[in-house]
Amino acid sequence: MEVGQPAPVGKRAWLVLGMLCFVYVINFLDRQLMPILAKPIQDTMHFSDGQLGLIGGFYFALVYCFISIPIGYLADKTSRSKVLAASCAIWSAATMSCGLAANYLQFAIARMTVGFGEAGGVPPSYAIISDYFPRSRRGLALGIFNTGPGIGAALGVAFGASIAAAYSWRYAFIVLGGVGILAAIAVLVIVREPVRGGLDPVPAYPVKKGSFWETFAMFFSRKPLVLAALGGGATQIITYGLQNFAVLFLMREKGMTLGEVAVYYSLVVLVGMTGAMVIGGAMVDRLARHSKAAYALIPGVALVLAVPFFIAFVTSPTWSSACWFLVVAVFLNHFFLSSNVTLVQQEVRPDQRVMSGALLLLVMNFIGLGLGPTYVGAVSDALRASHPGQSLQVALFTLVPFYLVAISLFLVLARVLRRESRKPTHLVGEFVE
């Protein structure tokens, strides 16, 4: 472990958290532009639902997930803030390239390059936050950070749809990608590299820095970490399948316009996703003090409650009523993220945090991001002949069984965490409470 004074917990910590959250907003804003603008892109480029699903799902996840491992390892061994800044610059430039694409292949390559850059965005941020905030405040800090997707998606809807409605969908990619270039420069100025493990309990005995394969083996040998990743992956089949096709569904099958999307759908995403991250993070901090099972029960119970609202959203006769049910479903669907991230960051050594965060995202995103949009798009294409006006509605409805899979995995995780809590020492190897 590196030695030195603990990272300060004060104005500097909150400033860094704010900067990291802003970069995460840009990260998700750029990622969500394609599903937000799917209808005008389809009208111009003539992509099918299946092609959109592959670009937003399997192709993106293939690059995003597997490049995150070497980038995570690099960040664990070097400067996490510089890795983050470089990644932000890459994905932002690639986003601008999407607006210049002339055909499917060019668009797909640009989106895959966005995934290449974004792979270095989140894991280093998790580790930096964990070294700026003590264990007792980490869940809230990570919960606030995880509002980035909700804010980013909402701003992407508001600005992306507005720019596309006023000018062209291509300008939306170019303008918003340019904002990310400026954010990358700001990271270099604002985010100072904190001491690794400076706010963690003193190790029971000297810790050696783990190798790539040691961290890899540790992660996949621990049931709680694997179950959390699998439960998150099953949940993300639902969340990413929904995110990538909700706007297209509301516009094509419910009659929503781009102008209405810019206002009402952006509010759905902002309230639903950000509310879940902040409230979920605060609940983790409070309830996990009494029982580690809270890391699993919080998302498990939320998903049980989400099922009827999701079904009501899919079957609603109008876009306005669908949005009311969707905001609740989105809110409950996203409780898992703060719980999963906090659990992993608490359970591993400081020198393994970026790599472990990358492995968590690898499993969750390869399952959820890789399969969710790809699955929904393929099912919709298959149903276009038999259900020409409702193919996306039926495709989204087939996501319901994945709720049962995710709930089951989180219940198993709760049982494992209860069993581990009874052990005298329950943290990984070197660290004790």
Side-chain angles (χ1 to χ4, degrees), residues 169-234:
W169 64 266
R170 295 184 182 277
Y171 283 103
F173 281 97
I174 295 170
V175 171
L176 297 176
V179 175
I181 300 295
L182 299 177
I185 298 171
V187 169
L188 293 175
V189 176
I190 295 174
V191 181
R192 299 174 186 171
E193 187 73 12
V195 176
R196 284 178 167 87
L199 297 178
D200 285 290
V202 177
Y205 51 84
V207 178
K208 295 181 180 180
K209 284 194 172 184
S211 67
F212 177 94
W213 291 112
E214 179 191 348
T215 303
F216 187 92
M218 176 278 300
F219 188 95
F220 287 104
S221 67
R222 301 209 58 224
K223 284 185 179 180
L225 303 185
V226 174
L227 284 169
L230 292 175

Side-chain angles (χ1 to χ4, degrees), residues 84-328:
L84 173 62
S87 299
C88 182
I90 291 171
W91 85 60
S92 299
T95 297
M96 297 176 74
S97 298
C98 291
L100 304 174
N103 53 51
Y104 184 80
L105 179 61
Q106 291 178 7
F107 195 93
I109 292 173
R111 291 301 292 174
M112 291 172 74
T113 308
V114 172
F116 180 92
E118 291 188 0
V122 180
S125 298
Y126 286 158
I128 292 170
I129 292 169
S130 295
D131 284 334
Y132 267 103
F133 289 84
R135 295 175 63 86
S136 61
R137 303 296 299 278
R138 217 167 269 164
L140 176 61
L142 289 168
I144 292 173
F145 172 73
N146 282 325
T147 62
I151 298 173
L155 291 178
V157 173
F159 289 107
S162 297
I163 294 172
Y167 302 100
S168 165
W169 64 266
R170 295 184 182 277
Y171 283 103
F173 281 97
I174 295 170
V175 171
L176 297 176
V179 175
I181 300 295
L182 299 177
I185 298 171
V187 169
L188 293 175
V189 176
I190 295 174
V191 181
R192 299 174 186 171
E193 187 73 12
V195 176
R196 284 178 167 87
L199 297 178
D200 285 290
V202 177
Y205 51 84
V207 178
K208 295 181 180 180
K209 284 194 172 184
S211 67
F212 177 94
W213 291 112
E214 179 191 348
T215 303
F216 187 92
M218 176 278 300
F219 188 95
F220 287 104
S221 67
R222 301 209 58 224
K223 284 185 179 180
L225 303 185
V226 174
L227 284 169
L230 292 175
T235 306
Q236 286 189 328
I237 290 176
I238 302 162
T239 59
Y240 277 121
L242 180 58
Q243 285 171 18
N244 276 262
F245 286 100
V247 173
L248 185 58
F249 168 64
L250 289 169
M251 291 184 67
R252 196 170 73 195
E253 299 188 13
K254 301 296 181 183
M256 209 172 186
T257 66
L258 264 180
E260 290 164 341
V261 167
V263 177
Y264 298 105
Y265 184 74
S266 64
L267 289 174
V268 167
V269 174
L270 180 65
V271 174
M273 291 181 69
T274 58
M277 301 307 178
V278 175
I279 293 174
M283 289 178 66
V284 166
D285 277 343
R286 179 177 293 273
L287 299 180
R289 297 173 192 169
H290 307 290
S291 172
K292 284 179 66 177
Y295 288 115
L297 292 177
I298 289 172
V301 172
L303 289 174
V304 170
L305 298 175
V307 174
F309 290 97
F310 178 80
I311 294 173
F313 157 71
V314 174
T315 57
S316 290
T318 65
W319 67 260
S320 56
S321 61
C323 284
W324 282 108
F325 291 115
L326 180 60
V327 69
V328 181

